Amino acid sequence: MTAFGQGQFGSIYDFDIKHWNSADGLSSNSVRAVSQDQQGYLWIGTLYGLNRFDGHHFTQFSTKTSRQLASNSINKLLLDQQGYMWVGTKAGLSGFNPQTLKFDRYPILAEVTSMVQVAPDELWVAAENLFRVKQGKVSRIHSIKEAVVQMEKAGNAVWVSTARSLYKLDAQGQTQQILLPDELQQHPLYDLSWFNDSLHFASESGYFHLDEQQQVVRCTLPGADNSAVYKLFRDSSGNDWISGYNKLHHRQVGQGWQQISAEELGSSPWFSDIFEDRDHNIWMASFSEGLYRASPGKMRRVVGQGQEDVVVRSVRYSARLNSLLVATQTNVGLLKADQHFIELVNHQALGQSTVFDFYDRNNQLWLGTDNGLLLYNFDDQSISRPFKELASSAIRVVQPHAQAGLWFGGSSGLYHYDGKTLLAAPFNADLESGFVTVIEVQGQDLLIGTTSGLYWYQQDKLNRVGLGTPLFGAYITSVLTLPDQQMLIATLDDGLFIKTAQGQWQQYDSSNGLPLDPVISLWYDRDSDYVWASSLKGVFRFKPAAGGDGRPPLSFELILSPYDRQLGTAPGRCCNGAGHSKVAKWLDQLWYPSLKGLVAVPLQLKMAPDRALQPLLQEVTGQKSYALLPDQRQLVLDMSDRNISISYSALEFIKANAIEFRYQLKGFDTEWQKVGQRREAIYTNLPPGSYQFIVQARYSSQNWTERQQLMLDLVVPRLFTETVVYKGLWLLLVVLALYGLAWLWRRNAVMQQLELSKLVRLRTAELESSNARLYELNEQLSQLTHKDTLTGLRNRRFLFEQLPKDIEQYQHNRDAMLQQGKCIALLQLDMDNFKSINDLYGNSAGDSVLQQISGLLLRESRGADYVVRYAGEQFVLVLRDVEFASVRDVALQLNQLVANAHFQIPDGRTVSLTCSIGYSCFPLELLGGQLISWEISLQLSEIALRKVKQSGRNGCATLGFDPQVDAFEFEDSGHIDVQIEKLLADGLAWFEVKNYLGS
């Protein structure tokens, strides 16, 4: 299906595809036209408006925002040689300047069906009639008397089609008429295209062309019959694209037609327009499914010629045969360099077994399967079961040892074959799990991975690896030792472990940067110093830390995500490898098994393009919007604009999510603001002065550089009220006012003294009568404020008003917070047996203890946190922007501080108390999304608190959830207790209860 070389692409399946629709911000799923301006922005015309696209965000334009736009229903887009964009709509013709975003309206009021530029200053428009637009003036072309349907420019001539005829208008003004056949007269004509020195037609009745005798004849399109064809397109490489009814046809230069059906594309591929951008991406506008991008892929799906089964389970390179050994779901064969697949062992000989590993030696092929060990002989093509001891065992690993020896590992433990005798390993009985998954031979030593931990067999002694770490008891999927003696261990459920050359263990999982798990294979490439890792969801790579010191943290680069896909394949095309043979190196590529053939990834893969990533400034918004021209480098704001928002972007249509930004407003910011993928800078209360806004962009795998930055000088003018003259006038006015007040004060001092004594007597009586009422009002007022009158802490009212704001702020910066491993933590703390204090020593003693506890909580909280008296002896601590990993330690520390404290009561004695703490974190990562309701987070901490009380008090607890729990489970916060009980009963949730003593 594809050539092995990394140059010319030979298959439609080699194109990576991406899909956008209205859920991504597109104004409509019905896309009719695509074009690109001189800056590089894509413009997408839809049924409900015009969209500008930078690869990350759609900016919408409609008749509401642009009055000169003739209609929201857009049919055609054309960028002329001057960089002006023409917009053909259902209600006529408009145009706009993509730099200034100013629209113009032209006096063509009928539906525009086609546009061609015939000269630098001349445009022809097909509407109800044929029109010419020259130097902004519209006129009729009278040589065509019928309603024009489609047009195409070929050399110095323009081909014009109507409902019945085809016209050729040359530069000398001569007109040639050709009558269309009945098949084209009776059906709509969707497109005209000139290539191969011939005119081609896309119509409701099929695909046609104009032959040398000027006759319109049908073209052969395999699998299309006489069904509708909507768009014809030839790209810059000479490849043909044809959009037909429920099929997309593609023809590589010098090859036959290929096609993608609706089932393979994942939707109905009725494309009204096909467009190639300056980076050679192919954009396809769907009538009903949105926008598609097909780009030449950097990795390829390979199915050998003659390979009937596309499901591949295992792969290994054979140097002797210079081929790939490939195990499919039904057979085993060789994939040769000429792309042919040669079957070695058929389905019947395998006995419906799955091959986990194989090894080629001495013209024999050893096959480890889930139903025993098989031996294939190349000489007589026979298949046999060489050992009765392994007849029914699942063999996961077949590894060489010395010149003739082999190791076999699987469900029955580890066995060694020296060429004559098969012996069980002497330490099989010492393995906690006898199911061997990985073997790595290191001289005389042996690393053995099992489903329950990793072992090191050295000098006839078996030692457990990873004592005291989560690696102890983990399911081992792959082991890799680097040249500097760093050891990498991949696990099924616990992520990736790295043992540095100094013997220190580091664990990486989804909580600290590991992009995909579980990790099932590892491969080290010495030339590039990259470690490649695969999972069931994709592929990523990273460079190990120099010297193994682990600082700075590893940077993982995602190569293939679960959402990437190629034309004709579903998302998640990699990697379903079984057993030990999950990756192989051949022809400077890594080969991974998948459900649709092998996925070949170049080892010298460059994720970021060679061109520099150039930031673009889009708009500055204050009390009004300031449109920025591409070459504009200075902006003077209105005097009243002190709160501004600066929108910026960078054009990237392949890996838009891999772009990171940072910015700095020199003269205001003291350091760079790293904002990840956010494309907006917000400043408030800017003092007057001159500033310089600098924005830089990079791919996540690159370093920050001035080559990829843009600068804008910002001037904030001074108001008159900020000048020295204005301030001097105010100072003089204040001095005069003070002098006048002093004079009046002295004049009235005596009179006020007399009146004061009289007022005191009157007010005393009034105050005494109002004291009772004032006391009641104070009590009511305390309930309306945010402060608890006894402890001075925040109260429930404050919590319920502030917490939603904190959650909204976190959501606004969610990507940056998650990248830093930060969350919002809610800790509910309840004093154990507090009622006994009031019963034994009185309510005043209880109030004193509550005040001392409040002081302790305030001392132990950070400036960004706040403490709330929730009810009685119950408190809530809200920890903002705290690291996930430290929340449990904070709860345990508070538990210990309260237990160790001595609280003094009014009679001089001291008492001791313990507390129970339940806590939860926001956001909570669940299948299907993140838990985004703060009410549910608060209820989860309260449920955890109840668990501590039920478990004997004096402890901390939180709820843990299985990764398969869906966020949908928590949609109804009114029944959270019932949902939690069900999850606990199903084993999908559990309580983690601890106290500072470690129990």
Side-chain angles (χ1 to χ4, degrees):
M1 303 177 70
T2 181
F4 288 175
Q6 299 178 22
Q8 188 76 7
F9 290 90
S11 170
I12 194 173
Y13 296 101
D14 293 331
F15 287 88
D16 290 335
I17 190 166
K18 173 74 174 174
H19 178 214
W20 293 268
N21 56 26
S22 57
D24 302 301
L26 194 62
S27 59
S28 169
N29 286 338
S30 181
V31 182
R32 304 302 175 86
V34 183
S35 188
Q36 188 175 31
D37 64 25
Q38 292 178 336
Q39 281 185 273
Y41 285 105
L42 277 184
W43 291 88
I44 298 97
T46 75
L47 189 62
Y48 296 137
L50 187 63
N51 300 259
R52 185 180 69 179
F53 187 43
D54 61 4
H56 181 268
H57 175 73
F58 292 94
T59 303
Q60 298 183 8
F61 300 85
S62 66
T63 53
K64 290 184 178 180
T65 59
S66 306
R67 295 183 179 179
Q68 298 302 319
L69 183 61
S71 168
N72 287 332
S73 183
I74 296 169
N75 292 336
K76 299 291 180 181
L77 293 174
L78 174 66
L79 185 76
D80 64 22
Q81 297 177 11
Q82 287 72 39
Y84 188 80
M85 187 76 72
W86 297 90
V87 184
T89 75
K90 288 277 188 182
L93 180 67
S94 293
F96 73 97
N97 186 330
Q99 297 184 358
T100 62
L101 301 180
K102 292 183 178 179
F103 284 77
D104 304 303
R105 184 74 167 88
Y106 294 89
I108 296 177
L109 305 181
E111 179 179 1
V112 175
T113 58
S114 183
M115 297 183 293
V116 294
Q117 186 175 10
V118 299
D121 61 345
E122 184 174 347
L123 181 79
W124 285 15
V125 181
E128 184 179 5
N129 295 283
L130 183 58
F131 295 90
R132 174 188 289 110
V133 183
K134 189 169 185 178
Q135 297 180 350
K137 303 296 183 180
V138 178
S139 60
R140 284 276 305 275
I141 298 177
H142 297 284
S143 55
I144 305 296
K145 306 297 183 182
E146 306 174 63
V148 176
V149 180
Q150 296 294 334
M151 293 186 297
E152 173 73 345
K153 185 173 183 294
N156 293 325
V158 178
W159 292 92
V160 179
S161 70
T162 66
R164 295 183 175 276
S165 300
L166 178 68
Y167 296 89
K168 181 181 179 182
L169 283 68
D170 60 23
Q172 290 73 35
Q174 297 180 352
T175 302
Q176 177 185 357
Q177 182 179 5
I178 301 172
L179 189 65
L180 293 175
D182 292 341
E183 291 175 295
L184 291 181
Q185 290 188 20
Q186 298 170 0
H187 298 286
L189 185 64
Y190 296 115
D191 191 25
L192 293 179
S193 183
W194 178 270
F195 55 87
N196 292 345
D197 295 328
S198 176
L199 188 67
H200 297 253
F201 304 78
S203 76
E204 184 67 29
S205 57
Y207 178 31
F208 298 81
H209 81 283
L210 191 67
D211 64 13
E212 296 178 354
Q213 288 74 37
Q214 302 294 292
Q215 298 294 318
V216 178
V217 296
R218 184 178 295 275
C219 297
T220 302
L221 196 61
D225 300 325
N226 296 333
S227 57
V229 174
Y230 303 104
K231 183 65 180 177
L232 309 173
F233 181 74
R234 171 163 287 186
D235 63 28
S236 59
S237 300
N239 304 323
D240 294 323
W241 301 76
I242 295 181
S243 169
Y245 178 76
N246 265 348
K247 288 184 177 65
L248 174 65
H249 304 270
H250 175 265
R251 181 171 59 186
Q252 188 82 5
V253 176
Q255 298 185 18
W257 284 103
Q258 295 175 304
Q259 62 184 25
I260 293 291
S261 65
E263 293 77 13
E264 291 176 308
L265 189 64
S267 61
S268 181
W270 298 8
F271 298 120
S272 55
D273 193 17
I274 302 176
F275 176 80
E276 182 180 11
D277 67 19
R278 62 182 61 174
D279 294 324
H280 307 296
N281 301 308
I282 303 298
W283 297 87
M284 294 173 284
S286 170
F287 280 103
S288 60
E289 300 291 338
L291 180 68
Y292 291 81
R293 185 217 69 225
S295 58
K298 296 181 179 179
M299 55 203 74
R300 264 154 303 153
R301 178 164 63 89
V302 177
V303 177
Q305 296 179 15
Q307 179 183 339
E308 297 181 356
D309 190 348
V310 298
V311 178
V312 179
R313 292 300 183 188
S314 301
V315 60
R316 178 175 283 218
Y317 172 61
S318 172
R320 184 179 70 88
L321 301 170
N322 191 25
S323 305
L324 282 182
L325 291 164
V326 178
T328 73
Q329 191 81 352
T330 57
N331 63 2
V332 174
L334 291 175
L335 187 64
K336 308 295 287 183
D338 61 0
Q339 200 178 346
H340 283 80
F341 179 83
I342 301 173
E343 184 181 71
L344 300 178
V345 184
N346 59 30
H347 184 55
Q348 183 177 1
L350 279 178
Q352 299 182 346
S353 299
T354 297
V355 176
F356 290 118
D357 197 7
F358 28 36
Y359 187 73
D360 172 38
R361 174 184 278 179
N362 298 330
N363 221 28
Q364 293 179 323
L365 181 62
W366 297 85
L367 303 173
T369 76
D370 59 353
N371 191 25
L373 184 70
L374 301 177
L375 179 61
Y376 173 80
N377 193 309
F378 282 93
D379 292 331
D380 57 10
Q381 300 180 356
S382 62
I383 190 82
S384 61
R385 293 184 179 270
F387 306 116
K388 295 181 179 179
E389 298 91 327
L390 303 178
S392 60
S393 299
I395 305 299
R396 290 292 182 90
V397 185
V398 180
Q399 282 288 84
H401 180 229
Q403 294 183 349
L406 289 172
W407 288 101
F408 306 119
S411 60
S412 299
L414 188 63
Y415 288 80
H416 183 263
Y417 176 62
D418 61 4
K420 297 180 180 179
T421 307
L422 180 72
L423 295 175
F427 48 77
N428 277 348
D430 298 327
L431 300 175
E432 180 180 335
S433 169
F435 203 124
V436 176
T437 57
V438 177
I439 302 172
E440 183 176 277
V441 180
Q442 296 185 347
Q444 299 301 318
D445 299 341
L446 193 65
L447 282 170
I448 306 107
T450 72
T451 58
S452 184
L454 181 67
Y455 296 83
W456 195 321
Y457 186 64
Q458 187 179 34
Q459 297 178 353
D460 298 331
K461 292 183 179 180
L462 186 69
N463 298 312
R464 197 73 176 261
V465 179
L467 292 174
T469 72
L471 182 60
F472 188 91
Y475 190 119
I476 309 300
T477 56
S478 185
V479 176
L480 176 65
T481 302
L482 301 180
D484 62 358
Q485 299 308 305
Q486 290 191 73
M487 184 186 298
L488 282 67
I489 298 98
T491 69
L492 188 66
D493 300 312
D494 298 283
L496 177 67
F497 292 85
I498 299 178
K499 185 179 182 181
T500 66
Q502 292 77 24
Q504 299 175 344
W505 284 104
Q506 300 168 346
Q507 181 183 8
Y508 290 89
D509 55 26
S510 57
S511 67
N512 61 348
L514 194 70
L516 299 170
D517 54 18
V519 180
I520 63 170
S521 79
L522 297 170
W523 182 276
Y524 178 65
D525 180 44
R526 288 176 177 267
D527 296 334
S528 63
D529 192 34
Y530 269 116
V531 174
W532 293 76
S534 71
S535 79
L536 299 176
K537 304 174 184 177
V539 178
F540 62 92
R541 68 182 179 184
F542 61 93
K543 290 192 175 182
D549 57 5
R551 294 184 177 86
L554 296 181
S555 176
F556 297 100
E557 184 180 8
L558 189 61
I559 303 298
L560 181 62
S561 79
Y563 309 105
D564 293 337
R565 66 188 180 104
Q566 293 168 303
L567 273 171
T569 66
R573 54 186 168 178
C574 190
C575 299
N576 60 300
H580 199 264
S581 297
K582 296 183 281 283
V583 60
K585 178 186 175 182
W586 187 40
L587 300 177
D588 292 325
Q589 300 173 86
L590 290 182
W591 300 78
Y592 294 96
S594 82
L595 297 179
K596 284 197 174 183
L598 291 167
V599 171
V601 184
L603 279 169
Q604 302 302 320
L605 177 67
K606 291 184 178 180
M607 292 301 292
D610 294 331
R611 62 177 174 83
L613 193 62
Q614 184 59 47
L616 298 172
L617 291 175
Q618 295 178 321
E619 187 180 41
V620 176
T621 305
Q623 294 184 6
K624 73 172 189 177
S625 295
Y626 304 86
L628 299 173
L629 297 176
D631 57 350
Q632 185 172 346
R633 293 296 176 262
Q634 186 183 52
L635 176 65
V636 179
L637 301 176
D638 285 354
M639 288 192 296
S640 57
D641 266 338
R642 300 299 172 86
N643 303 325
I644 62 171
S645 170
I646 305 175
S647 299
Y648 52 85
S649 184
L651 300 180
E652 171 54 55
F653 300 109
I654 304 295
K655 292 287 185 181
N657 291 333
I659 298 179
E660 298 177 348
F661 294 92
R662 70 173 184 175
Y663 62 78
Q664 183 180 22
L665 186 62
K666 283 193 172 181
F668 188 82
D669 292 328
T670 58
E671 59 184 16
W672 287 98
Q673 308 295 317
K674 296 181 179 180
V675 293
Q677 297 182 31
R678 199 177 77 203
R679 304 185 180 214
E680 182 182 32
I682 299 175
Y683 291 96
T684 58
N685 299 321
L686 281 176
S690 297
Y691 305 94
Q692 187 178 57
F693 180 76
I694 307 174
V695 59
Q696 291 184 352
R698 71 169 185 180
Y699 295 97
S700 55
S701 59
Q702 294 178 332
N703 296 321
W704 298 109
T705 173
E706 293 184 358
R707 279 197 326 123
Q708 300 186 150
Q709 78 174 21
L710 189 65
M711 296 182 291
L712 176 68
D713 294 331
L714 276 175
V715 179
V716 181
R718 293 182 181 274
L719 298 171
F720 174 71
T721 56
E722 296 170 327
T723 63
V724 176
V725 173
Y726 180 81
K727 293 177 180 178
L729 291 175
W730 266 109
L731 179 61
L732 178 61
L733 181 61
V734 169
V735 170
L736 293 175
L738 290 174
Y739 179 81
L741 289 173
W743 182 83
L744 289 174
W745 179 81
R746 293 184 63 185
R747 180 176 179 274
N748 295 323
V750 176
M751 295 179 62
Q752 289 177 355
Q753 186 67 32
L754 295 174
E755 293 292 333
L756 184 60
S757 60
K758 196 180 292 185
L759 286 173
V760 166
R761 291 192 297 271
L762 293 174
R763 297 304 181 200
T764 300
E766 293 175 359
L767 287 173
E768 289 177 352
S769 64
S770 301
N771 277 343
R773 177 58 180 163
L774 184 58
Y775 178 79
E776 295 177 0
L777 291 175
N778 284 336
E779 288 295 318
Q780 296 176 9
L781 183 60
S782 67
Q783 297 298 322
L784 297 175
T785 63
H786 293 159
K787 191 173 183 180
D788 178 64
T789 56
L790 175 63
T791 62
L793 299 177
R794 304 291 191 178
N795 60 12
R796 290 170 65 103
R797 179 184 178 89
F798 175 83
L799 176 67
F800 292 151
E801 291 182 3
Q802 183 62 33
L803 186 53
K805 299 176 183 177
D806 295 336
I807 296 298
E808 182 179 355
Q809 179 66 23
Y810 183 95
Q811 289 292 83
H812 185 69
N813 301 307
R814 182 182 62 183
D815 292 342
M817 291 293 104
L818 290 177
Q819 187 175 6
Q820 300 172 25
K822 292 184 177 182
C823 68
I824 296 177
L826 304 178
L827 282 69
Q828 290 209 36
L829 183 147
D830 187 83
M831 305 305 298
D832 299 330
N833 301 318
F834 184 82
K835 185 175 181 296
S836 63
I837 300 295
N838 290 330
D839 294 340
L840 293 173
Y841 306 108
N843 290 336
S844 61
D847 292 345
S848 176
V849 172
L850 287 177
Q851 291 170 343
Q852 295 175 61
I853 293 171
S854 302
L856 183 148
L857 296 178
L858 286 173
R859 287 194 304 273
E860 296 303 318
S861 60
R862 305 173 305 168
D865 308 331
Y866 50 89
V867 186
V868 175
R869 186 184 179 193
Y870 195 66
E873 64 272 18
Q874 188 173 351
F875 301 84
V876 173
L877 280 75
V878 179
L879 310 181
R880 295 186 280 196
D881 297 345
V882 65
E883 293 183 357
F884 280 101
S886 65
V887 176
R888 185 184 70 173
D889 295 336
V890 173
L892 290 172
Q893 184 180 4
L894 287 176
N895 180 239
Q896 180 179 5
L897 288 172
V898 173
N900 294 339
H902 300 286
F903 304 103
Q904 188 172 13
I905 59 179
D907 63 4
R909 289 180 289 178
T910 60
V911 296
S912 297
L913 289 172
T914 62
C915 67
S916 299
I917 300 177
Y919 64 93
S920 64
C921 295
F922 179 93
L924 177 61
E925 291 285 347
L926 298 173
L927 185 66
Q930 295 179 350
L931 186 59
I932 61 172
S933 169
W934 65 269
E935 293 93 340
I936 293 179
S937 294
L938 195 59
Q939 291 182 56
L940 292 178
S941 65
E942 187 172 355
I943 292 171
L945 176 61
R946 290 205 302 268
K947 179 61 179 180
V948 179
K949 291 292 187 181
Q950 295 169 3
S951 301
R953 302 183 176 88
N954 189 21
C956 304
T958 187
L959 269 166
F961 296 93
D962 190 276
Q964 65 177 295
V965 175
D966 198 300
F968 178 77
E969 299 282 346
F970 299 91
E971 185 176 23
D972 185 4
S973 61
H975 299 86
I976 187 67
D977 287 336
V978 176
Q979 294 165 335
I980 292 297
E981 289 299 325
K982 184 177 184 304
L983 292 175
L984 289 170
D986 293 338
L988 298 178
W990 55 87
F991 286 99
E992 299 174 2
V993 182
K994 291 184 178 294
N995 60 29
Y996 68 92
L997 297 176
S999 60

